[in-house]
Amino acid sequence: MAGGDLTSALLKRVSRSFYLSLAVLPSAVRPPIGLAYLLARAADTIADTRLIERRARITHLEAFRAAMTDSQPRRLAAIDSASRPAERDLLERLPECFAALRALPPDDRARVQKVIETIIEGMIDDLRLFPGEDEVTLTALETRQDLDRYTYLVAGCVGEFWTDVHVAHRPRLRGWDLPAMRRLGVRFGKALQLTNVLRDVPRDLRNGRCYLPRQELVRVGLSPRDLLDPGAALAARPLLLELLDVALAHYEAGWQYTFAIPRTETRMRLACAWPLLIGLRTLDLLVRSPNWLDPAITLKVPRVRVYSLMAHSLATVWSTRALGRQARRLRARIGGIVRT
């Protein structure tokens, strides 16, 4: 199967939301970006499975990393570690993904390899730091710097990759200050990942992982284990608001990135605006939830609202002013609560 067909077929099954963003991108950048997503998703499936123990997962991830530079397709031992049909299919077809990687032009291949190696580094660090799979073995990141490093390894690096791929393939971007745009791209990725971290705190705690730094929790009189009680939401709220403020600053960088895209690059603008708008809506839900530590509550933007945001952005994407208004309203609403 051709690389583009492989990417399209698998993405439809493993990521409906990202598939929409990929589909709107210019065709020249879809192969490396789509393939990078599939490889990252496959690695994440291996890292998260509970069907094999943690040390074995690290071994499989190291083999995965090595397989990206092998001259022949290979089947990894972790192929049978996924429980969902779409993920099993993705792992079964990893040799095709590796073959599609080798078929990319050398520069694109190097970019994909670099970003996946960085993401896998973050996954391996995670597996080494967090020793178990439940609240009995709950462990926390130590410092805010550790949290910042984590968000770079698993998402900030994607902003660099995204920037490099687009500049290489889109002549209208050749005038960009590449180092400056790569830095904004990193913060764009961190914004989305920090949103995921804050939204998923209750679930992660019960899987033995606390991404809220221990030193920051001590500062507000809490321990990681205290967060297992949803009643601790009020005591932990000052830290939540501080981290939401960090996220908002990253979103501001993400919008700077988006508005630097020429208006004629409509597809790229849309692909950047959509996750930013959805992410800000998620933060809005989070900042307004008094029960944000309750694992029974799912803070997720309804799909109908997602489609509404996307439809509205189709009408405003041409205008930096109009798109900016849409973003500012969301940021101001969240920021008004965060800074009160």
Side-chain angles (χ1 to χ4, degrees):
M1 179 179 287
D5 293 339
L6 170 72
T7 300
S8 178
L10 286 177
L11 275 172
K12 284 181 180 179
R13 298 193 62 203
V14 300
S15 176
R16 292 181 187 176
S17 58
F18 183 77
Y19 179 76
L20 293 173
S21 294
L22 183 71
V24 80
L25 282 176
S27 59
V29 301
R30 288 179 208 161
I33 290 177
L35 187 57
Y37 178 86
L38 288 177
L39 291 169
R41 183 64 182 268
D44 187 60
T45 299
I46 294 169
D48 282 351
T49 184
R50 295 191 179 193
L51 301 179
I52 53 177
E53 59 97 18
R54 301 178 80 79
R55 284 176 297 179
R57 279 178 254 170
I58 292 174
T59 299
H60 292 322
L61 286 171
E62 290 170 341
F64 187 110
R65 186 164 51 191
M68 289 195 297
T69 57
D70 281 355
S71 59
Q72 296 294 326
R74 56 188 296 189
R75 177 185 175 90
L76 301 184
I79 283 291
D80 299 321
S81 67
S83 57
R84 296 174 183 158
E87 292 173 346
R88 282 201 303 271
D89 186 32
L90 173 58
L91 293 179
E92 288 287 349
R93 298 177 69 178
L94 265 179
E96 295 175 61
C97 293
F98 292 139
L101 176 62
R102 284 188 295 276
L104 289 175
D107 287 346
D108 278 343
R109 182 167 67 248
R111 294 181 190 106
V112 173
Q113 288 172 346
K114 180 180 179 181
V115 72
I116 299 303
E117 286 169 358
T118 304
I119 290 170
I120 288 176
E121 179 185 349
M123 293 174 180
I124 290 175
D125 283 356
D126 235 38
L127 287 168
R128 286 175 174 156
L129 173 65
F130 301 114
E133 311 286 356
D134 55 39
E135 59 195 59
V136 175
T137 55
L138 179 61
T139 304
L141 294 179
E142 185 65 17
T143 68
R144 196 176 290 199
Q145 290 72 29
D146 293 332
L147 174 59
D148 185 69
R149 180 176 185 272
Y150 167 74
T151 58
Y152 169 75
L153 289 175
V154 299
C157 66
V158 177
E160 293 173 317
F161 165 73
W162 179 280
T163 303
D164 291 343
V165 169
H166 277 85
V167 168
H169 289 280
R170 304 303 295 172
R172 294 189 187 99
L173 303 180
R174 299 289 166 79
W176 266 8
D177 179 343
L178 185 54
M181 294 306 296
R182 292 177 95 244
R183 287 192 294 271
L184 288 176
V186 167
R187 296 191 66 190
F188 190 140
K190 286 181 177 181
L192 302 181
Q193 187 60 31
L194 188 52
T195 300
N196 291 338
V197 164
L198 297 176
R199 179 196 62 193
D200 293 339
V201 166
R203 185 185 68 181
D204 286 334
L205 289 170
R206 284 152 186 82
N207 289 328
R209 302 190 299 266
C210 179
Y211 291 102
L212 300 187
R214 189 193 66 81
Q215 290 184 10
E216 301 296 323
L217 287 168
V218 169
R219 185 169 54 81
V220 296
L222 296 170
S223 72
R225 194 160 294 279
D226 291 332
L227 301 181
L228 290 166
D229 177 6
L234 182 60
R237 187 168 174 82
L239 177 55
L240 171 67
L241 295 180
E242 287 181 24
L243 294 175
L244 281 169
D245 203 28
V246 173
L248 285 176
H250 287 324
Y251 273 96
E252 178 62 32
W255 284 111
Q256 290 176 29
Y257 185 99
T258 303
F259 296 147
I261 300 168
R263 285 179 292 179
T264 49
E265 288 289 330
T266 309
R267 290 173 174 270
M268 184 183 178
R269 273 196 164 206
L270 283 172
C272 290
W274 288 345
L276 290 172
L277 290 169
I278 295 167
L280 283 171
R281 283 288 181 187
T282 303
L283 291 187
D284 188 45
L285 292 175
L286 182 59
V287 77
R288 293 173 185 279
S289 173
N291 303 312
W292 64 280
L293 284 178
D294 189 343
I297 295 175
T298 301
L299 297 174
K300 187 175 182 180
V301 182
R303 187 163 293 275
V304 65
R305 187 59 182 154
V306 170
Y307 290 145
S308 175
L309 287 171
M310 294 171 70
H312 188 257
S313 64
L314 286 171
T316 60
V317 70
W318 295 93
S319 168
T320 295
R321 180 177 299 177
L323 191 58
R325 270 198 307 270
Q326 191 176 1
R328 280 194 302 274
R329 281 197 297 268
L330 281 169
R331 291 202 307 274
R333 190 162 66 187
I334 300 164
I337 297 174
V338 167
R339 300 181 183 108
T340 54

